[in-house]
Every structure is written in structure tokens, then in C-alpha cells.
Amino acid sequence: MPSAEATRSGAIAVLLERLTGRDGYGFEEACELLETNHQVTVPRAELEKIAGRLLSLTRRRFESEE
């Protein structure tokens, strides 16, 4: 479920949040996926602004060493 901030920011923010949060991609990888798989043409600078707003909301993942 997308965060309230992602929802307010629009569909691209929701996709970026999903790729970086749930799917575990880094920002650069997520940008590439947005461009190639979703035909997003938003300038990288704008994606960085969106990510900056979402970054503080990203939950940490803790994984077992097993």
C-alpha cells in the first residue's frame, strides 16, 4: 500500500516508492525501470525531488542472517 505522500504526489511517486521500498531497487535502478518498463519521461531531477520526499518515509528491512 503506498504511503500518503506517494499517493498525494501521483502515480510516478507510487511506482518509485514501490520499486525502491517494496522491491528493494536502488534509486538509479528504479529510474531505469521507470523509463524502460513504464515509459516515464520525467526528468531525473524531478525524480530525485520525489525520492527525497519519499526517502524519509521508507521503512528499513531487517532480514535474518539464516
Side-chain angles (χ1 to χ4, degrees), residues 22-33:
R22 185 192 75 183
D23 297 344
Y25 291 102
F27 175 74
E28 292 298 324
E29 292 173 304
C31 289
E32 291 295 324
L33 289 169

Side-chain angles (χ1 to χ4, degrees), residues 3-24:
S3 68
E5 180 61 35
T7 302
R8 278 191 298 273
S9 297
I12 293 171
V14 170
L15 281 170
L16 183 59
E17 182 178 68
R18 184 177 71 207
L19 291 168
T20 58
R22 185 192 75 183
D23 297 344

